[in-house]
Amino acid sequence: MLIHNPHSKRENPFRTLYDNAGFASVLQNKDRLPDFPFLVDIELTNHCNLACIMCPRHAMKRDKGFMSEDIFRKIIDECAKYKTPIRFIRFGEPFLHPKIIGFCQYAKSKKLVLHITNNGLALEERHMHALVDLAVDSVIFSFQGTTKERYQSIRNNCLYDKLTDAIKRLVHLRGDREKPFIHVSTTVLDDSEAEISQFVEYWAHTVDSVGVGKTLLYTIPVDGLEPSLARKIRELRKTETIKKVYGPCTEVFQKLSVDWDGKITCCCGDFDQLLTVGDIRESTLSRVWNHSRHLAIYRELLQAGLHKSLNLCSTCYTTYEEL
């Protein structure tokens, strides 16, 4: 479910990409892929200030760290050659990176369309001013559930009011300026239609758009987790309402993701580098996109619907079907 604020004249700057004929019909034209991915996701860090119940970070075994300036600039310089939009996203809170403002400045100096997904709790006043002054194109604030109680239960904190205050503050600082486009996103378990409607009604008149999807809890391998957490996840799975259906995978045909250490993966859900297809320190995004043997294999398997042949893909289901 995606609702646009009826009073906002702003358009999502990524809408042009998402509506692009080649991007939207990539599965029908997989033999005519572009020379470079349509989109590149960047993980500035996999450190996070939260411990959300539904997050696969609980099972993450890879090292934690912060992306170096050398790796970041190499990614941006290559994306700039193709005018490829970038997103700060993946398995950490980007505003924990001490150089995020400088990174935003560098990306915008290359005239790249830039998006940031964040949880709103590490966003400081200086960050907000930078987002507005640099005209960062798009910002998503990520919720969980549709009420304060549900948010605090799943996100495992009592900071709901801090999040909502941060969103309102950024909206205020932006004022009448065009950017950033501000979006609120949440996923739900067994939230009622009334709760969902109230959430959407409120935020659709505060920010530029609101998205609601389904919470997926099956990506987390509970074996080996702390027992009380494992029990809670198993209980929550009883309230999960998604249809466990494999959808056609566009990920491997549309974009690449670069982790903080330079490893390149072909999946937005790859929390532990299970689908690594290259390393930016040893190669380029273009070379990986066009010549990675592993990426070619993953494309073939997923195009054939063989999700169960890959551990990560075996628990990946469509979660944003219409509510």
Side-chain angles (χ1 to χ4, degrees), residues 184-228:
V184 161
S185 176
T186 194
T187 64
V188 298
L189 288 167
D190 58 349
D191 301 56
S192 69
E193 290 186 15
E195 289 170 331
I196 294 172
S197 295
Q198 289 171 7
F199 180 89
V200 170
E201 176 68 18
Y202 177 80
W203 286 109
H205 289 83
T206 305
V207 297
D208 299 304
S209 66
V210 182
V212 182
K214 298 289 185 69
T215 301
L216 176 61
L217 291 165
Y218 275 82
T219 57
I220 309 171
V222 295
D223 295 336
L225 293 184
E226 193 274 323
S228 63

Side-chain angles (χ1 to χ4, degrees), residues 10-245:
R10 297 177 185 85
E11 290 292 334
N12 185 339
F14 280 75
R15 193 75 262 157
T16 302
L17 169 65
Y18 300 150
D19 291 340
N20 174 278
F23 183 87
S25 62
V26 67
L27 292 177
Q28 285 73 49
N29 298 290
K30 62 184 185 302
D31 296 326
R32 297 199 303 274
L33 285 176
D35 294 334
F36 199 74
F38 293 98
L39 182 67
V40 172
D41 285 350
I42 300 174
E43 180 187 77
L44 297 188
T45 180
N46 61 343
H47 284 285
C48 192
N49 51 341
L50 293 180
C52 305
I53 299 300
M54 79 297 174
C55 184
R57 290 184 75 260
H58 292 294
M60 184 186 291
K61 296 182 178 63
R62 63 185 168 106
D63 291 340
K64 296 180 177 64
F66 296 89
M67 180 170 284
S68 71
E69 190 166 347
D70 288 343
I71 289 177
F72 181 78
R73 285 176 175 256
K74 184 175 183 182
I75 298 167
I76 297 303
D77 290 346
E78 188 175 5
C79 288
K81 294 178 183 178
Y82 297 90
K83 299 179 180 179
T84 299
I86 59 170
R87 303 188 302 187
F88 296 168
I89 197 169
R90 292 189 56 69
F91 292 97
E93 170 49 52
F95 285 104
L96 292 179
H97 199 297
K99 294 186 177 181
I100 188 172
I101 293 177
F103 284 179
C104 289
Q105 289 173 331
Y106 190 72
K108 293 310 297 178
S109 76
K110 298 293 185 176
K111 303 187 186 305
L112 293 179
V113 176
L114 169 61
H115 164 80
I116 305 174
T117 290
N118 79 117
N119 62 39
L121 302 177
L123 186 64
E124 301 174 5
E125 185 84 1
R126 64 189 179 92
H127 295 137
M128 296 187 194
H129 284 283
L131 293 175
V132 175
D133 294 343
L134 293 170
V136 169
D137 298 271
S138 169
V139 176
I140 283 181
F141 288 94
S142 180
F143 276 80
Q144 206 67 37
T146 55
T147 66
K148 184 174 184 176
E149 294 72 26
R150 288 176 185 274
Y151 170 88
Q152 294 183 165
S153 173
I154 303 298
R155 290 260 154 158
N156 216 17
N157 69 65
C158 297
L159 300 172
Y160 181 88
D161 294 333
K162 182 177 180 179
L163 167 57
T164 58
D165 288 347
I167 298 171
K168 294 171 188 176
R169 179 60 177 161
L170 181 59
V171 170
H172 173 75
L173 289 175
R174 181 191 63 181
D176 294 331
R177 279 179 269 198
E178 180 184 358
K179 296 177 181 179
F181 183 90
I182 302 174
H183 175 86
V184 161
S185 176
T186 194
T187 64
V188 298
L189 288 167
D190 58 349
D191 301 56
S192 69
E193 290 186 15
E195 289 170 331
I196 294 172
S197 295
Q198 289 171 7
F199 180 89
V200 170
E201 176 68 18
Y202 177 80
W203 286 109
H205 289 83
T206 305
V207 297
D208 299 304
S209 66
V210 182
V212 182
K214 298 289 185 69
T215 301
L216 176 61
L217 291 165
Y218 275 82
T219 57
I220 309 171
V222 295
D223 295 336
L225 293 184
E226 193 274 323
S228 63
L229 175 61
R231 283 194 299 272
K232 187 165 185 178
I233 291 173
R234 289 190 178 98
E235 284 301 309
L236 284 171
R237 283 178 176 174
K238 297 175 183 178
T239 66
E240 196 175 56
T241 57
I242 65 163
K243 300 172 183 176
K244 293 182 176 57
V245 176

Side-chain angles (χ1 to χ4, degrees), residues 244-264:
K244 293 182 176 57
V245 176
Y246 296 129
C249 181
T250 57
E251 280 285 303
V252 292
F253 295 103
Q254 289 178 335
K255 66 183 180 70
L256 289 175
S257 300
V258 187
D259 288 335
W260 72 267
D261 59 357
K263 295 289 182 62
I264 302 169

